[in-house]
Amino acid sequence: MTFINYAAREINCKIVYYGPGLCGKTTNLQWIYDKTNPQAKGKLISLATETDRTLFFDFLPLDLGTVRGFKTRFHLYTVPGQVFYDASRKLILKGVDGVIFVADSQEPRMEANIESLQNLEKNLKEQGYDLKTIPYALQFNKRDLPTALPADDMYRQLNFKGEPTFEAVAMNGTGVFDTLKAVAKLVLTELKKK
Amino acid sequence: MVLKPAPAETPVPQAATHAAERPFRQKADRVAVIADEPRPFRTFLGDQLRRLGFEVHFFTLGDPALDFARRSRAELVIVNVYLKGKLGVEVSEEIKADPSLADTRVILIGALFRANRFRGNPTSLYGADEYIEEMIPEKELRQIIRKLFPDVTGTAEFQVPEPREYDEARRLARLILSDIVIYNPEKVERGLRENNFFEVLKEEIEEGRAYFDSRVSFRVKRDTEIFNETLQQFVRMKREEVERLRTGTQ
């Protein structure tokens, strides 16, 4: 749910990084934060409870243009990936405008990827969204690992609706901004339709 | 699959208004009563019998088991020799002395199993038709059941499909384990190396188990040990891997 700040002439959009535990959601976010112009970003905030952790920050990308004269400010969130923390994930999805699903390329985590994707679809539905229509991008992270599954296999199992899909190594930034830009564009396209 | 004991006993039904009415009995199934202490072996038996088309009811005490067997005209009673209260051997004798249970077959479960000790077959079965011990292989158990119920032969290979929820529970258990492993690699390694996996990861396992229990159905919780089994399988697999590496075998 986009929030419009008329005083600042900004449209605020929420993008959530989703995926199984330790797939690299935080690494994506950290990379983006580190590489973003300090003037264009807010603080990186970690909401840590006793058991789980959520990161978020907002930033104002300068190269994505405006929507009817309004600049767009993106708020990026990660969710706790461990299967236990479903309640936190549901909460973080509230008001989401776009989702990036980060999949772990390691073969032993494939089942966790699938579960997390199904969980995303279910939790979106509970919030009144539909994965089929929401701006959405898929990222295969950890492509540098020797145990990484072939990208084609992952695509067959995880690509949901022909969404833009990227191979990434979030540790060194490969694919990180490409994925974010893809979903940001989809979010802006949706905004322009409204 | 190792099954876990049922915490709740099958309630003994009240006398029906009409003798012919037994609402708790499904016509398609044979009724089996298992009277044994709650333990994985008891649920292993239950699982095997269900696969052979039996409707299974668990008891820990002899009297309610006997009462239920009489009311339901159970075709099979499997009873531990040393039950609390009424002994299994007494249950067996009473069944065999009851003309209304003439068609009921009784299998006694030996109280002890020590594979590495000398043992002899029991001299008396107290009227029971068969005698088994814990750790009986599935195949051998099926042979005994087939012997007692020849018409089971045709259906013995027929596997009653496991409920879908069991598969889902297994998947959930694997996911929880996978999370535990990926978030605690050092503890996992230490637990495997020092052979104390369950102690080292006690907290994580308990957290995982609580979540598992909160997500699975009552039936899965009551009838299975899927969570424990998944952990044990993992430890076993890892140990075998280490052993293969150590000995250089494939």
Side-chain angles (χ1 to χ4, degrees):
Chain A
M1 191 180 62
T2 316
F3 167 71
I4 301 175
N5 182 340
Y6 286 96
R9 295 192 69 75
E10 280 177 9
I11 298 173
N12 291 264
C13 309
K14 181 176 183 178
I15 293 176
V16 174
Y17 281 77
Y18 214 92
L22 292 189
C23 65
K25 301 177 290 293
T26 300
T27 314
N28 264 271
L29 214 70
Q30 191 77 51
W31 182 268
I32 295 162
Y33 188 80
D34 291 346
K35 300 295 171 188
T36 303
N37 180 347
Q39 278 79 49
K41 69 186 176 190
K43 278 186 179 170
L44 180 67
I45 295 166
S46 174
L47 296 175
T49 66
E50 203 174 302
T51 48
D52 62 9
R53 190 177 54 146
T54 298
L55 278 182
F56 78 88
F57 78 98
D58 64 282
F59 80 120
L60 193 69
L62 300 173
D63 56 348
L64 282 174
T66 59
V67 179
R68 294 186 193 123
F70 282 73
K71 289 174 281 186
T72 41
R73 181 176 289 277
F74 286 90
H75 298 251
L76 308 188
Y77 287 74
T78 60
V79 295
Q82 275 172 285
V83 71
F84 313 144
Y85 305 130
D86 203 31
S88 303
R89 282 193 291 275
K90 283 179 188 173
L91 203 65
I92 293 159
L93 278 179
K94 277 185 191 289
V96 67
D97 293 297
V99 178
I100 291 171
F101 187 87
V102 182
D104 190 326
S105 294
Q106 297 176 93
E107 196 269 336
R109 292 299 278 171
M110 201 56 200
E111 198 165 28
N113 289 330
I114 292 167
E115 161 70 17
S116 183
L117 185 55
Q118 288 172 349
N119 178 259
L120 168 65
E121 191 185 5
K122 178 176 143 280
N123 286 346
L124 280 174
K125 208 169 198 171
E126 280 180 25
Q127 308 281 344
Y129 302 104
D130 189 345
L131 186 56
K132 285 181 194 141
T133 53
I134 199 165
Y136 174 64
L138 175 63
Q139 182 188 87
F140 301 152
N141 192 25
K142 307 189 189 180
R143 297 306 302 162
D144 57 328
L145 295 182
T147 51
L149 284 166
D152 284 352
D153 289 357
M154 292 187 70
Y155 189 89
R156 269 194 296 277
Q157 292 193 65
L158 297 173
N159 192 278
F160 187 76
K161 55 177 182 182
E163 66 273 12
T165 304
F166 301 88
E167 294 188 37
V169 183
M171 294 282 277
N172 65 21
T174 306
V176 170
F177 274 104
D178 294 338
T179 317
L180 174 63
K181 277 182 189 166
V183 88
K185 278 182 186 169
L186 291 170
V187 169
L188 291 179
T189 307
E190 280 299 303
L191 275 177
K192 284 172 184 168
K193 282 186 200 165
K194 288 175 186 169
Chain B
M1 183 180 66
V2 180
L3 295 167
K4 87 174 179 188
E9 296 290 292
T10 300
V12 177
Q14 298 303 307
T17 319
H18 304 289
E21 283 179 9
R22 293 194 190 97
F24 54 94
R25 167 105 182 242
Q26 292 174 12
K27 279 182 184 173
D29 291 338
R30 295 169 185 275
V31 171
V33 169
I34 300 178
D36 190 10
E37 63 193 271
R39 54 175 174 159
F41 180 60
R42 184 172 89 158
T43 36
F44 160 79
L45 289 175
D47 185 47
Q48 293 302 316
L49 292 177
R50 280 193 202 102
R51 283 164 185 261
L52 292 170
F54 284 85
E55 178 190 306
V56 179
H57 297 265
F58 293 109
F59 295 87
T60 48
L61 296 173
D63 276 326
L66 195 54
D67 191 19
F68 185 83
R70 284 196 174 110
R71 289 177 188 279
S72 64
R73 299 282 190 274
E75 275 86 348
L76 175 63
V77 174
I78 301 187
V79 58
N80 193 328
V81 171
Y82 287 110
L83 277 183
K84 280 180 191 165
K86 182 167 282 178
L87 294 174
V89 291
E90 292 173 309
V91 172
S92 177
E93 283 177 333
E94 286 194 38
I95 289 172
K96 290 302 172 185
D98 185 341
S100 72
L101 294 174
D103 293 332
T104 302
R105 300 284 174 263
V106 179
I107 299 176
L108 286 179
I109 305 169
L112 290 173
F113 176 80
R114 296 284 185 274
N116 56 351
R117 289 188 188 174
F118 172 80
R119 54 171 294 281
N121 287 324
T123 49
S124 168
L125 294 184
Y126 298 87
D129 301 278
E130 276 295 341
Y131 170 82
I132 60 172
E133 288 175 338
E134 198 176 338
M135 309 299 289
I136 184 170
E138 282 180 32
K139 196 176 165 187
E140 204 176 309
L141 179 66
R142 282 200 207 121
Q143 281 169 353
I144 288 173
I145 304 295
R146 279 184 202 145
K147 199 172 102 186
L148 297 178
F149 300 93
D151 56 328
V152 160
T153 314
T155 58
E157 300 310 321
F158 167 70
Q159 299 278 306
V160 176
E162 276 193 343
R164 191 170 157 218
E165 63 195 307
Y166 283 22
D167 266 350
E168 285 165 4
R170 278 201 191 85
R171 183 158 171 263
L172 177 64
R174 285 198 302 272
L175 288 165
I176 293 169
L177 171 66
S178 177
D179 274 350
I180 291 174
V181 170
I182 201 163
Y183 276 90
N184 306 281
E186 283 156 18
K187 278 185 170 183
V188 170
E189 201 207 319
R190 183 151 59 92
L192 291 170
R193 194 179 58 240
E194 295 172 3
N195 209 17
N196 56 1
F197 179 88
F198 292 91
E199 282 162 50
V200 173
L201 288 150
K202 191 176 174 202
E203 203 179 306
E204 291 79 6
I205 289 171
E206 284 315 309
E207 185 185 26
R209 189 193 311 280
Y211 182 71
F212 179 83
D213 284 348
S214 75
R215 285 270 310 265
V216 298
S217 69
F218 172 73
R219 179 158 66 161
V220 169
K221 272 187 282 187
R222 185 195 62 189
D223 290 350
T224 77
E225 275 286 7
I226 286 173
F227 187 73
N228 281 346
E229 192 188 352
T230 304
L231 297 182
Q232 280 159 3
Q233 205 174 359
F234 170 78
V235 172
R236 206 164 44 237
M237 192 184 76
K238 286 289 170 189
R239 282 192 190 134
E240 282 168 10
E241 265 178 36
V242 170
E243 188 60 21
R244 274 200 302 273
L245 285 172
R246 197 180 63 79
T247 58
T249 56
Q250 288 297 310

